[in-house]
Amino acid sequence: MGRLLPMIEGVKNNLRVEDLDGVYVTDGGYYKDQNIIGAKELGVKDLILPINTDTKCTESLKVKKRAQNKEGKELIKRRYVTIERIIGFIKERIRMRRFNLRGLAKVSCEWTFICLA
């Protein structure tokens, strides 16, 4: 739950932008009212995140409504058959559940080899 805002910051730094235009789809594991409010403060214009619980937070209600409309459902579905399929393949077929090496440079190299496989 605490990783959404640092990831947004990382994306902004990598793209060298202040605001993130476009649609960003995450899974429900990132849901927390503070994450949604923080994402908006960090410049995320359109966030789609499936929320399966009641909330009184205005920003969370907007995100929940967006995830439940036709376009939102289609984007969430598309995410599951693209990104989640790859992660599942890496975890199950390659049996990669944790890194064997330590340190950013070594882990980066190991991850590159996994992706090449």
Side-chain angles (χ1 to χ4, degrees), residues 7-22:
M7 277 195 285
I8 292 170
E9 286 286 358
V11 169
K12 286 174 52 176
N13 289 338
N14 287 340
L15 297 176
R16 293 180 176 88
V17 296
E18 288 297 316
D19 295 325
L20 294 174
D21 295 325

Side-chain angles (χ1 to χ4, degrees), residues 1 6 10-11 13 15-16 23 27 37 40 48 52 64 66-67 73 81-82 90 92 94-95 98 103 105 114:
M1 282 188 181
V11 169
N13 289 338
L15 297 176
R16 293 180 176 88
V23 180
D27 66 29
I37 293 167
K40 183 168 180 139
I48 296 179
N52 299 321
K64 183 177 183 176
R66 178 80 165 100
K73 286 180 181 179
V81 298
T82 54
I90 290 170
E92 297 302 320
I94 299 178
R95 299 186 199 290
R98 63 173 51 174
I114 294 293

